[in-house]
Amino acid sequence: MSSGGDPLTRISDQPLDPTEVEKAVIGPEHGAVVLFTGTVRNHDGGQPVSTLEYSAHPEADKFLHRVCTEVSESTGLPVAAIHRIGHLAIGDLAIAVAVAAPHRAEAFTTCATLVDRIKHEVPIWKRQLFTDGLSEWVNACG
């Protein structure tokens, strides 16, 4: 995809393939591609985590598409993002995001901005299940 096109965006209940978002942004005009993957880790705040559960608003895909389109239009760079929902095990990918740019600095900056906006603006909620049987919702208001 070259800049100015419709970005690849999806909410998925299937395992993620980061090469899909990378392939969606590469082009001969770009010397840098930044690929970010968010992986389920085995701890949070000093507590051991066993699994995560992501839930999404029925229109979360529209929010994701809007955020990606806005970032792409404001920077002129191609972007792509896929976010996973459902039950995820330790080591599973929760999100894959890619940004391409002529140079690395703007690719890194844009990727960080995009990930932050997705986290804060797309209605996807994370429930952490701890090894002691307790659970908690993380960033559930947003």
Side-chain angles (χ1 to χ4, degrees):
M1 174 199 145
S2 61
S3 56
D6 197 31
L8 168 71
T9 62
R10 188 168 65 250
I11 306 295
S12 177
D13 62 357
Q14 298 299 308
L16 304 183
D17 177 3
T19 60
E20 184 179 3
V21 292
E22 182 179 29
K23 287 178 182 177
V25 300
I26 59 174
E29 68 277 26
H30 302 298
V33 174
V34 171
L35 174 64
F36 171 80
T37 58
T39 305
V40 177
R41 64 182 181 266
N42 66 359
H43 65 91
D44 187 50
Q47 290 187 278
V49 172
S50 60
T51 61
L52 293 183
E53 178 183 297
Y54 282 95
S55 301
H57 185 278
E59 294 190 3
D61 56 338
K62 292 179 182 176
F63 285 84
L64 180 62
H65 191 266
R66 178 186 51 79
V67 166
C68 288
T69 299
E70 288 175 1
V71 169
S72 182
E73 288 175 353
S74 71
T75 62
L77 301 176
V79 305
I82 303 173
H83 201 298
R84 179 96 183 264
I85 57 171
H87 290 278
L88 281 71
I90 304 303
D92 284 350
L93 295 181
I95 188 170
V97 175
V99 175
H103 304 286
R104 70 180 177 272
E106 61 187 328
F108 277 116
T109 300
T110 302
C111 189
T113 298
L114 181 56
V115 171
D116 286 345
R117 286 198 57 189
I118 291 169
K119 181 176 180 177
H120 293 103
E121 297 177 38
V122 179
I124 297 174
W125 305 284
K126 178 172 71 174
R127 182 176 168 225
Q128 297 185 123
L129 293 98
F130 298 108
T131 58
D132 63 6
L134 298 177
S135 67
E136 76 173 354
W137 289 93
V138 180
N139 296 327
C141 59

